[in-house]
Amino acid sequence: MLQRILPIPDRTRACLALAALALLSGCSSEVLNPAGDVARQQRDIIFISTGLMLLIIVPVLILICLFAWRYRKGKGGTYDPNFDHSTALELVIWSAPLLIIIALGALTWSSTHLLDPFRPLDRLAAGGQEASAPKEDVLRVQVVSMDWKWLFIYPEEGIATVNELVLPLNRQVRFDMTSTNMMNTFYAPTLAGMIYTMPGMQSQLHAVLNKPGTYSGLSANYSGAGFSDMRFTLHGVDRAGFEAWAAKAKSSGKSLDLATYQKLELPSEKVPPIVFGAVDPDLYRRILERCVNPGTPCMSQLMAHDRRAGGDPRDVRPGAGMPAAGSSMPQHGKPEGALLKSPSEKGSGANITKPADPDAALGTRKPGAEENRNMSAIHPHHAPAASRQAQA
């Protein structure tokens, strides 16, 4: 029937078939065929949301063709120019979208909390022996987005890599993320969703990898000239393979100290994978607090300095310099604001307003004076004749 209404040339049908095959070929991508449980749950949300929306889109598209054919004006059609209302039709039109919106809202609310990247995982897989996530068996990886490469630090193993991330299977991974220079986005499609990295701030992501293999990761936020090549390789190996890889990395002979990091931090493009067998244990904190360069105070030192209101910035003891209990201001005193001072206390100077003259016009000193009611200067046409003559 549709072919008779809308005749489609053979060439057009061939193009549509090729487009459909191209779309179906994308179903094998890492987004729709993930290797981690978090990414798998996010993929299911995509499928469910798409299915719910198609419950409206598909019937509407079908009904457009059906109504155009059935209610056409002409032979065989059911043309009724006086039709204006149908209670059953109105009920369907309004109730179906409303129910779908409620379902999408509930799905969004629940998934937002269950898949919060800061929230530790409750499970490592959809089922099987590895369904429960041990709270103590968590691998920590510190991620630093640079210009234009990725730095991964394994603090427990004491190693670091550039543009290469190796994870053991069925083990929860906690990523602590920051950036050196500008805002960026960490994205491993087969592992989890996109997480932003920002200088001086830390983001987190809890995820797990369930399938062995080699996958890709990238920067999903434009950050300059080398953005398009800011990619890394993700390897999923079993626990024995991860331990063997970590042992091999420690024997690489390369060390990532502050001097080496300062050279690594310089902008560079298409950087091949690098493995460091040793890493400064305080490097990530210094990157996060933006004090890698010698002599630069860390953010924690600056905040402690502010709390002490002029104390030694090297003293970062918890609570140092804080006001005494029951006092909202430091006991050594703070200058009183100019708004709280009288004109005589402010003194004189080029940037200080001169105090008002006590002999000035009454309107500036006595708001309730009768002279303030004389509006002749503003509205001359309302002034008495004598005033107009005087003004003339």
Side-chain angles (χ1 to χ4, degrees):
M1 180 184 298
L2 184 59
Q3 176 68 18
R4 287 185 296 174
I5 300 174
L6 299 173
I8 302 176
D10 294 339
R11 182 177 298 179
T12 304
R13 282 185 290 180
C15 294
L16 292 175
L18 292 175
L21 290 175
L23 292 174
L24 290 175
S25 64
C27 294
S28 61
S29 65
E30 296 179 357
V31 175
L32 301 183
N33 187 25
D37 186 60
V38 174
R40 185 180 300 109
Q41 295 182 64
Q42 295 173 340
R43 178 206 61 185
D44 294 343
I45 293 174
I46 295 175
F47 285 163
I48 296 173
S49 301
T50 303
L52 288 174
M53 290 183 286
L54 287 177
L55 289 178
I56 287 295
I57 296 174
V58 172
V60 167
L61 294 178
I62 295 175
L63 289 175
I64 288 175
C65 299
L66 180 62
F67 278 33
W69 174 258
R70 181 176 180 180
Y71 298 102
R72 67 190 185 279
K73 183 178 181 181
K75 185 178 180 180
T78 309
Y79 178 64
D80 184 5
N82 298 320
F83 174 83
D84 61 355
H85 178 72
S86 173
T87 302
L89 187 60
E90 292 285 345
L91 183 63
V92 172
I93 289 175
W94 290 103
S95 61
L98 180 61
L99 293 175
I100 292 176
I101 291 173
I102 293 174
L104 286 173
L107 177 65
T108 303
W109 184 89
S110 61
S111 60
T112 300
H113 291 277
L114 292 176
L115 298 178
D116 182 358
F118 285 83
R119 184 175 183 265
L121 303 181
D122 294 328
R123 71 182 196 186
L124 297 179
Q129 298 179 355
E130 299 288 347
S132 179
K135 302 299 182 184
E136 65 280 357
D137 188 21
V138 179
L139 175 65
R140 290 181 58 209
V141 179
Q142 297 166 338
V143 182
V144 182
S145 60
M146 311 173 71
D147 298 335
W148 287 274
K149 48 195 168 288
W150 293 95
L151 172 63
F152 303 101
I153 302 175
Y154 298 78
E156 298 168 355
E157 286 73 18
I159 58 178
T161 61
V162 174
N163 287 343
E164 184 178 39
L165 177 62
V166 180
L167 299 179
L169 300 179
N170 301 319
R171 183 179 179 184
Q172 181 177 182
V173 184
R174 169 185 162 180
F175 296 95
D176 296 328
M177 305 181 185
T178 189
S179 182
T180 57
N181 185 34
M182 63 184 66
M183 189 172 179
N184 221 305
T185 304
F186 173 86
Y187 185 35
T190 195
L191 184 68
M194 295 182 289
I195 302 296
Y196 285 95
T197 62
M198 292 163 280
M201 301 182 67
Q202 176 174 284
S203 300
Q204 276 189 14
L205 171 65
H206 291 80
V208 63
L209 201 62
N210 301 119
K211 297 180 182 179
T214 300
Y215 310 98
S216 62
L218 65 151
S219 167
N221 190 78
Y222 180 75
S223 56
F227 154 76
S228 57
D229 295 310
M230 190 174 173
R231 298 174 177 270
F232 63 91
T233 303
L234 170 61
H235 299 282
V237 298
D238 57 20
R239 299 205 178 196
F242 178 77
E243 293 174 0
W245 171 82
K248 182 179 178 180
K250 292 179 181 179
S251 61
S252 65
K254 297 182 180 180
S255 177
L256 184 60
D257 52 17
L258 293 181
T260 305
Y261 173 79
Q262 289 175 345
K263 297 179 182 179
L264 182 66
E265 188 181 12
L266 298 176
S268 56
E269 302 179 27
K270 299 181 180 180
V271 179
I274 307 174
V275 178
F276 297 95
V279 61
D280 188 330
D282 199 37
L283 177 61
Y284 178 78
R285 184 193 68 84
R286 296 177 73 94
I287 298 173
L288 175 62
E289 298 193 15
R290 305 184 66 76
C291 57
V292 175
N293 297 328
T296 304
C298 297
M299 293 171 58
S300 58
Q301 294 174 323
L302 294 175
M303 290 187 289
H305 175 76
D306 292 341
R307 289 197 302 267
R308 288 189 304 273
D312 186 357
R314 294 171 295 179
D315 185 4
V316 293
R317 295 172 300 167
M322 295 299 291
S327 173
S328 60
M329 296 297 295
Q331 299 302 310
H332 53 265
K334 182 179 180 180
E336 191 178 61
L339 292 176
L340 303 178
K341 294 182 179 180
S342 63
S344 60
E345 294 177 322
K346 296 180 181 179
S348 60
N351 298 325
I352 299 178
T353 304
K354 183 179 179 181
D357 185 1
D359 298 328
L362 293 176
T364 61
R365 303 297 298 169
K366 297 180 181 180
E370 184 65 25
E371 288 80 355
N372 293 335
R373 300 179 63 86
N374 184 2
M375 307 298 291
S376 58
I378 302 176
H379 302 289
H381 58 281
H382 291 161
S387 300
R388 290 197 297 269
Q389 294 176 359
Q391 291 176 2

